[in-house]
Amino acid sequence: MKIRVTVWGENVHEHKNERVKSVYPRGMHAHIAEALTKDGDITARTATLDQPEHGLTDAVLAETDVLTWWGHAAHGKVEDAIVDKVQARVLQGMGLIVLHSGHFSKIFKRMLGTSCALTWREQGEKERLWVCNPGHPIAKGIPPSFVIPHEEMYGEPFGIPDGEVVFLSWFEGGEAFRSGVCFNRGAGKIFYFRPGHETYPTYHQAEVQKVLVNAVKWAMPMGQKWENPSAAPKVVPSLETIRTEDPAHGQSAGGTGLK
Amino acid sequence: MKIRVTVWGENVHEHKNERVKSVYPRGMHAHIAEALTKDGDITARTATLDQPEHGLTDAVLAETDVLTWWGHAAHGKVEDAIVDKVQARVLQGMGLIVLHSGHFSKIFKRMLGTSCALTWREQGEKERLWVCNPGHPIAKGIPPSFVIPHEEMYGEPFGIPDGEVVFLSWFEGGEAFRSGVCFNRGAGKIFYFRPGHETYPTYHQAEVQKVLVNAVKWAMPMGQKWENPSAAPKVVPSLETIRTEDPAHGQSAGGTGLK
Amino acid sequence: MKIRVTVWGENVHEHKNERVKSVYPRGMHAHIAEALTKDGDITARTATLDQPEHGLTDAVLAETDVLTWWGHAAHGKVEDAIVDKVQARVLQGMGLIVLHSGHFSKIFKRMLGTSCALTWREQGEKERLWVCNPGHPIAKGIPPSFVIPHEEMYGEPFGIPDGEVVFLSWFEGGEAFRSGVCFNRGAGKIFYFRPGHETYPTYHQAEVQKVLVNAVKWAMPMGQKWENPSAAPKVVPSLETIRTEDPAHGQSAGGTGLK
Amino acid sequence: MKIRVTVWGENVHEHKNERVKSVYPRGMHAHIAEALTKDGDITARTATLDQPEHGLTDAVLAETDVLTWWGHAAHGKVEDAIVDKVQARVLQGMGLIVLHSGHFSKIFKRMLGTSCALTWREQGEKERLWVCNPGHPIAKGIPPSFVIPHEEMYGEPFGIPDGEVVFLSWFEGGEAFRSGVCFNRGAGKIFYFRPGHETYPTYHQAEVQKVLVNAVKWAMPMGQKWENPSAAPKVVPSLETIRTEDPAHGQSAGGTGLK
């Protein structure tokens, strides 16, 4: 069975900025989905902010193995209830790939618990990405380094917890950045990939598309679904005989029922 | 200068449960604060749910090096605005020590991004804690293992990200658990310590008090304050000359101002 | 193509201890290999200490996707030159699964850099393993907990670096232990699994066999081979023009050739 | 009491290369030791390859809180027996700071278990270091970025396990690198710091000296000494009564004595 990807796109710049429209005529989300489906093992659908439930209904999330997320101008417009559902699905095992300005999305900050802040400069400078681990699945088929001719710069400090660093970026303007980082949260795998400013054709570039395909294959659930990661069940009776007498309840097992 | 600790207590059970009142007559928070201040390097104040801003005003947080958190019955009553402030302070460098049922507190779930769920049983059984790293600062002066005669059981799966495991627990009823785990988030250090059910005199026990003192010393900020971890400053002009012409903006640096 | 596993066995106890011989008539290595091959996606061969190069020739290692390692009585008899080769292959991407008393093998200590020590007791007591992450690939199909009726006890402190903890063990005699831990080293994945004392039929147990099969599928290389992880190539000329004049060598790039 | 640092220097280039001699007239080790002792909390001695036991006798190691290591031309001449002793001390809690070309030292590769390889270019180019976590103790008092006018380049892939990344480097020639990384091994803390090529006055630079002082204070043991991390004691009798009968030994606890 193919890996079922849902490509989420904010889909705002595409309607306000002529340049973005010219680079991604059908929207960044549609373009990314098409790039992914060029791989025979992947099937991709799209979802956008303007759709009901932002296109992320229970049914869609239930059928999604990996969710990719690109947002920038409207992070605040994403409903918390949807963020709750996406977080729950990641903890169950759904992969999450956060792209570029998605670093400031509610879902990325929610999953990591940190600021996810960084420094930036939008000047179309040259970016060069370096592979930190040539044997990592996400680096499969990627050369030791590759150049993106024009990109927005992101710089350190990047407010994330420690993760597995797969790519570093070098910027013409003088910065270095952790551009590809992996995290495990619950049963889900999360990958942040830095490139992808809306005004440049980054997602048209072969190496970038290859990284996205690799990331999807890395992030897809390999284990079983963690059905209810938020459950806090009371375990009574115990598996082993408890001989200690409970000074609070006596031998009859108690339980506040608060959980 | 002494380490300034604020001991946060939900302070609910103490007023509803005669047994808790008898074990902690002045409240768990007051008892823990007294235990900490027995160490010459620590000064501790308390804060509780029923106080304005739950006792965690900007002034209090600004003067807190390490915050300890015990809650259980009223996690939902903690205002999100206060959780926001505590999270911001941790990212700036304030240490956070989460105790027992605080695993389900808003602040712990916020900082880790996972469910923080576990299994439990309240039967006053025997718990034995094992030290996983005798050289860890939090294990200083703690024997290879020690017993808490009566405790609530917590069992795996514990819904947390990977961290540095300092203690494991063995329970009479048959479970094992990661009872002491360290995390770094932003400039702050976080330690979760499992024991401390309200109906048992756990915080009266010498080894437990020693762990709390050690944890405070470990979690206190050793670096400088990260003044504004959530800032995303635009870095213009660049430190190095950018020779690449920006197809989107030409030589004049752009910036969407969205951040 | 099937996953090619080489099951390495010390094969000493089987010839000296009647009980071990009765539990594993054809040797522990042969038994484990047979258990793995019951899975349609795996093909397994064996290698033992007494063979030339301990059965781990360059050809065998080159054709091995995942190596499992069980040793106990003769760790010191494993030639360092072979350990060097195995380490090199792991860094290239070969998976390594270290079993039970293999915690003290040269290869495990080599890969982790720590003592890998632990406490132990050989009394045939009950062990119960708990799953810490139900969604982890290695826990696929494993119940929340399962019992091994008779096992040797291993206790903390376990001298390993932090890793991803997948299983914890509870022992009848009072100990708890990190029984399943994952590590990444170079392009290779390493999994340590605690159970498997030679005098008990642990590897006959369905849950244990399932964990081994899962571990093989988790550890198999998913990325490309890291051809030469120990290479330290001189990168001349540089990708970007270096305008700074070298006070040590002038504009002509130098190089000590020491690497 | 002051932090007792031993600064280990290979002390080879200083005698063969006029330029190195002119930059570090009394040797790199002596210069680094002097820089550290300018901090009131630190006392430093030196040790070199040409001394008996490379200057790292049991007595010296016993009195060392933090060891710094710089080597390049003669890694192979360091005796394995001394490496064994240094590793044992780190596992007991001694801090280890590995400098620049020390990435290929026996002790660094021993502690990490990986290749520790990287790419390099010796052309005196500009290096800029970026702080990834302004609140980290090792970054205390360090600006967001600083430049080293002339350095050897080190590039990815850097063959190390995942660690806590404190600094990234940007190189004029086009590379980026993880230049400051923290690891925990046993009771010891390890920090790798990239800069410090022998032909440039890197260790004369204020920011670099500040990082070294910070690293010493971060790496000093904060917990108790782990007396014997390699011990594997037999734990008999058990703390809890074992009711299960041992099919291998009967009720009398056995033990192979192999450990």
Side-chain angles (χ1 to χ4, degrees):
Chain A
M1 200 178 89
K2 292 193 175 191
I3 306 171
R4 303 163 301 175
V5 180
T6 298
V7 177
W8 193 86
E10 184 180 84
N11 193 27
V12 169
H13 292 300
E14 294 91 328
H15 299 282
K16 295 182 172 179
N17 182 317
E18 283 308 318
R19 179 171 173 77
V20 177
K21 199 177 303 182
S22 69
V23 178
Y24 299 106
R26 291 177 306 291
M28 300 179 79
H29 50 288
H31 180 84
I32 293 171
E34 288 161 15
L36 291 174
T37 49
K38 279 188 286 183
D39 181 278
D41 300 330
I42 297 174
T43 173
R45 71 168 85 193
T46 65
T48 54
L49 179 68
D50 55 347
Q51 296 175 318
E53 301 186 51
H54 311 320
L56 301 174
T57 62
D58 293 348
V60 167
L61 288 174
E63 295 168 350
T64 299
D65 297 314
V66 180
L67 175 69
T68 71
W69 194 279
W70 194 101
H72 182 208
H75 292 316
K77 292 182 179 166
V78 176
E79 294 171 20
D80 291 336
I82 302 302
V83 176
D84 295 342
K85 288 183 181 182
V86 173
Q87 176 182 27
R89 274 292 292 136
V90 172
L91 297 179
Q92 287 181 325
M94 180 180 74
L96 176 66
I97 298 172
V98 176
L99 300 171
H100 189 60
S101 45
H103 75 88
F104 252 179
S105 63
K106 285 183 176 182
I107 186 59
F108 193 54
K109 291 191 288 186
R110 174 76 67 87
M111 298 308 306
L112 297 190
T114 52
S115 71
C116 301
L118 44 77
T119 71
W120 61 284
R121 177 177 56 243
E122 195 176 341
Q123 204 164 328
E125 67 204 82
K126 181 197 298 185
E127 171 179 18
R128 180 180 290 104
L129 286 95
W130 290 93
V131 172
C132 296
N133 182 346
H136 196 284
I138 298 180
K140 192 173 184 177
I142 304 298
S145 74
F146 65 95
V147 166
I148 300 178
H150 302 283
E151 254 296 347
E152 178 183 16
M153 179 284 290
Y154 278 2
E156 299 283 348
F158 186 16
I160 55 173
D162 298 322
E164 184 181 13
V165 180
V166 181
F167 298 103
L168 289 186
S169 283
W170 174 98
F171 288 97
E172 185 180 7
E175 284 83 1
F177 190 74
R178 290 168 289 172
S179 278
V181 190
C182 301
F183 307 92
N184 297 320
R185 290 298 184 267
K189 294 163 93 173
I190 301 172
F191 179 61
Y192 174 77
F193 191 51
R194 197 217 74 78
H197 190 58
E198 67 274 9
T199 58
Y200 309 112
T202 299
Y203 296 122
H204 287 266
Q205 192 165 331
E207 297 95 333
V208 172
Q209 293 185 1
K210 176 65 172 168
V211 168
L212 297 185
V213 166
N214 288 344
V216 162
K217 295 181 178 183
W218 168 84
M220 72 168 286
M222 305 269 189
Q224 66 200 7
K225 182 182 178 186
W226 187 343
E227 283 299 340
N228 194 350
S230 293
K234 178 178 176 179
V235 183
V236 176
S238 56
L239 292 161
E240 299 289 327
T241 304
I242 296 175
R243 292 176 169 71
T244 301
E245 181 160 343
D246 185 352
H249 307 86
Q251 282 299 29
S252 62
T256 65
L258 286 169
K259 288 181 186 142
Chain B
M1 196 177 89
K2 293 193 173 190
I3 305 171
R4 303 164 301 174
V5 179
T6 297
V7 177
W8 193 85
E10 184 180 85
N11 193 29
V12 169
H13 292 299
E14 294 92 328
H15 300 284
K16 295 182 173 179
N17 181 318
E18 283 307 317
R19 179 169 172 78
V20 178
K21 199 177 301 181
S22 69
V23 178
Y24 299 106
R26 291 178 306 292
M28 299 179 79
H29 50 287
H31 180 84
I32 292 170
E34 288 160 16
L36 290 174
T37 49
K38 279 188 284 183
D39 182 279
D41 300 330
I42 297 174
T43 175
R45 71 167 87 192
T46 64
T48 54
L49 179 67
D50 55 347
Q51 297 175 318
E53 301 184 52
H54 310 321
L56 300 173
T57 62
D58 292 348
V60 167
L61 287 174
E63 296 168 350
T64 300
D65 298 314
V66 180
L67 175 69
T68 72
W69 194 280
W70 194 101
H72 181 208
H75 292 316
K77 293 182 179 167
V78 176
E79 294 171 18
D80 291 337
I82 302 302
V83 176
D84 295 342
K85 287 183 181 183
V86 174
Q87 177 182 27
R89 276 290 293 136
V90 171
L91 297 179
Q92 287 180 326
M94 180 180 74
L96 176 66
I97 298 172
V98 177
L99 300 171
H100 189 60
S101 44
H103 76 87
F104 253 179
S105 62
K106 286 184 175 180
I107 185 60
F108 193 54
K109 291 192 288 186
R110 175 77 68 86
M111 298 308 306
L112 297 190
T114 51
S115 70
C116 301
L118 44 79
T119 71
W120 61 284
R121 177 176 56 243
E122 194 177 342
Q123 204 164 329
E125 67 204 81
K126 183 196 297 185
E127 172 179 17
R128 179 179 291 105
L129 286 96
W130 290 93
V131 172
C132 297
N133 182 346
H136 195 284
I138 298 179
K140 191 173 186 178
I142 305 298
S145 73
F146 66 95
V147 167
I148 299 177
H150 303 283
E151 254 295 349
E152 179 183 16
M153 178 284 291
Y154 278 2
E156 300 282 348
F158 186 16
I160 54 173
D162 296 323
E164 184 181 13
V165 180
V166 182
F167 299 103
L168 289 185
S169 283
W170 174 97
F171 288 96
E172 185 181 6
E175 284 84 1
F177 191 73
R178 289 168 288 172
S179 278
V181 190
C182 301
F183 307 92
N184 297 320
R185 291 298 184 269
K189 295 162 93 174
I190 301 173
F191 179 62
Y192 174 77
F193 191 52
R194 197 216 75 80
H197 190 59
E198 66 275 7
T199 59
Y200 309 112
T202 299
Y203 296 122
H204 287 268
Q205 194 166 329
E207 298 94 335
V208 172
Q209 292 184 2
K210 177 65 171 166
V211 168
L212 296 185
V213 166
N214 288 344
V216 162
K217 295 180 178 183
W218 168 84
M220 72 169 287
M222 304 268 189
Q224 67 199 8
K225 183 182 177 186
W226 188 341
E227 283 299 341
N228 194 350
S230 294
K234 178 177 175 179
V235 184
V236 176
S238 56
L239 292 161
E240 300 289 327
T241 303
I242 296 175
R243 293 177 169 73
T244 301
E245 180 159 346
D246 184 352
H249 307 85
Q251 282 298 28
S252 63
T256 65
L258 285 169
K259 288 185 186 134
Chain C
M1 199 179 86
K2 292 194 174 190
I3 306 170
R4 303 164 301 175
V5 179
T6 297
V7 176
W8 193 86
E10 183 180 84
N11 195 28
V12 169
H13 293 301
E14 294 91 328
H15 299 284
K16 295 182 174 178
N17 183 317
E18 282 308 317
R19 180 172 171 76
V20 178
K21 199 176 303 182
S22 67
V23 178
Y24 299 107
R26 291 177 307 292
M28 300 178 78
H29 51 288
H31 180 85
I32 292 171
E34 287 161 17
L36 291 174
T37 48
K38 280 188 286 183
D39 183 278
D41 300 329
I42 297 174
T43 175
R45 72 167 87 193
T46 64
T48 54
L49 178 68
D50 56 345
Q51 297 174 319
E53 300 185 49
H54 309 321
L56 300 174
T57 62
D58 292 348
V60 168
L61 287 174
E63 295 167 351
T64 300
D65 296 314
V66 180
L67 175 69
T68 71
W69 194 279
W70 194 101
H72 182 209
H75 292 317
K77 292 183 180 165
V78 176
E79 294 171 19
D80 292 336
I82 302 302
V83 176
D84 294 342
K85 288 184 181 182
V86 173
Q87 176 182 27
R89 275 291 292 136
V90 172
L91 297 179
Q92 286 180 327
M94 179 181 73
L96 176 66
I97 298 173
V98 177
L99 300 171
H100 190 58
S101 44
H103 75 87
F104 252 179
S105 62
K106 286 184 175 181
I107 186 60
F108 193 54
K109 291 191 288 186
R110 175 77 68 86
M111 298 309 307
L112 297 191
T114 51
S115 71
C116 301
L118 44 78
T119 70
W120 61 284
R121 176 177 55 244
E122 195 175 342
Q123 204 165 328
E125 67 203 82
K126 182 198 297 185
E127 171 179 18
R128 180 179 290 106
L129 286 96
W130 289 93
V131 172
C132 295
N133 182 346
H136 195 285
I138 298 180
K140 191 172 186 177
I142 305 298
S145 73
F146 67 95
V147 167
I148 299 178
H150 302 283
E151 254 294 351
E152 179 183 16
M153 179 282 291
Y154 278 3
E156 298 283 350
F158 186 15
I160 55 174
D162 297 323
E164 184 180 13
V165 181
V166 182
F167 299 104
L168 289 186
S169 283
W170 175 98
F171 289 96
E172 187 180 5
E175 284 83 2
F177 191 74
R178 290 168 288 172
S179 278
V181 190
C182 301
F183 307 92
N184 297 320
R185 291 297 183 268
K189 295 163 92 173
I190 301 173
F191 179 61
Y192 174 77
F193 191 52
R194 197 217 74 80
H197 189 59
E198 67 274 9
T199 59
Y200 308 114
T202 299
Y203 296 123
H204 288 267
Q205 192 166 330
E207 298 95 334
V208 172
Q209 292 184 1
K210 176 67 172 166
V211 168
L212 297 185
V213 166
N214 288 343
V216 162
K217 294 181 179 183
W218 168 84
M220 72 168 287
M222 305 268 190
Q224 66 200 8
K225 182 182 178 187
W226 187 342
E227 283 300 339
N228 194 351
S230 293
K234 179 177 175 180
V235 184
V236 176
S238 56
L239 291 161
E240 300 289 326
T241 304
I242 297 175
R243 292 177 170 72
T244 300
E245 179 160 346
D246 184 353
H249 309 85
Q251 281 300 30
S252 62
T256 64
L258 287 169
K259 288 183 186 134
Chain D
M1 196 178 90
K2 292 194 173 188
I3 306 171
R4 303 164 301 175
V5 180
T6 298
V7 176
W8 193 86
E10 183 180 84
N11 194 29
V12 169
H13 292 300
E14 294 91 328
H15 299 284
K16 295 182 173 177
N17 181 318
E18 282 308 317
R19 178 169 172 79
V20 178
K21 199 176 302 180
S22 68
V23 178
Y24 299 106
R26 290 177 307 291
M28 300 179 79
H29 50 287
H31 180 84
I32 291 170
E34 288 161 15
L36 291 174
T37 49
K38 280 189 284 182
D39 183 278
D41 300 329
I42 298 174
T43 174
R45 72 168 85 192
T46 64
T48 53
L49 179 68
D50 56 345
Q51 297 175 318
E53 301 184 51
H54 309 321
L56 300 174
T57 62
D58 292 348
V60 168
L61 287 174
E63 295 168 350
T64 298
D65 297 314
V66 180
L67 175 68
T68 71
W69 195 280
W70 195 100
H72 181 208
H75 292 316
K77 293 182 179 164
V78 176
E79 294 171 19
D80 291 336
I82 302 301
V83 176
D84 294 342
K85 288 183 181 183
V86 173
Q87 176 182 28
R89 275 291 294 136
V90 172
L91 296 179
Q92 287 181 325
M94 180 180 74
L96 177 65
I97 298 172
V98 177
L99 301 171
H100 189 61
S101 44
H103 75 88
F104 252 179
S105 62
K106 286 183 175 181
I107 186 60
F108 193 54
K109 291 191 287 187
R110 175 78 67 87
M111 297 309 306
L112 297 191
T114 51
S115 71
C116 301
L118 44 78
T119 70
W120 61 285
R121 175 177 56 243
E122 195 177 342
Q123 204 164 329
E125 67 203 82
K126 182 197 297 187
E127 171 179 18
R128 178 179 291 104
L129 286 96
W130 290 93
V131 173
C132 296
N133 181 346
H136 195 284
I138 298 180
K140 192 172 185 178
I142 305 297
S145 73
F146 67 94
V147 166
I148 299 178
H150 303 284
E151 253 296 349
E152 178 183 16
M153 178 284 290
Y154 278 3
E156 297 284 349
F158 185 17
I160 55 173
D162 297 323
E164 184 180 15
V165 181
V166 181
F167 298 104
L168 289 185
S169 283
W170 174 98
F171 288 97
E172 186 181 6
E175 285 83 2
F177 191 75
R178 290 168 288 173
S179 278
V181 190
C182 301
F183 307 92
N184 297 320
R185 291 297 182 268
K189 295 163 91 173
I190 301 172
F191 179 62
Y192 174 77
F193 191 53
R194 197 216 74 80
H197 189 59
E198 67 274 9
T199 59
Y200 310 112
T202 298
Y203 295 123
H204 287 268
Q205 193 165 330
E207 298 95 334
V208 172
Q209 293 184 1
K210 177 65 172 168
V211 168
L212 297 184
V213 166
N214 289 345
V216 162
K217 295 180 178 182
W218 169 83
M220 72 167 289
M222 304 267 189
Q224 66 200 8
K225 181 183 178 186
W226 188 342
E227 283 300 339
N228 193 351
S230 294
K234 179 177 174 179
V235 184
V236 176
S238 57
L239 292 161
E240 300 289 327
T241 304
I242 296 174
R243 293 178 169 71
T244 301
E245 181 161 342
D246 184 352
H249 307 85
Q251 282 298 30
S252 63
T256 65
L258 286 168
K259 286 178 187 146

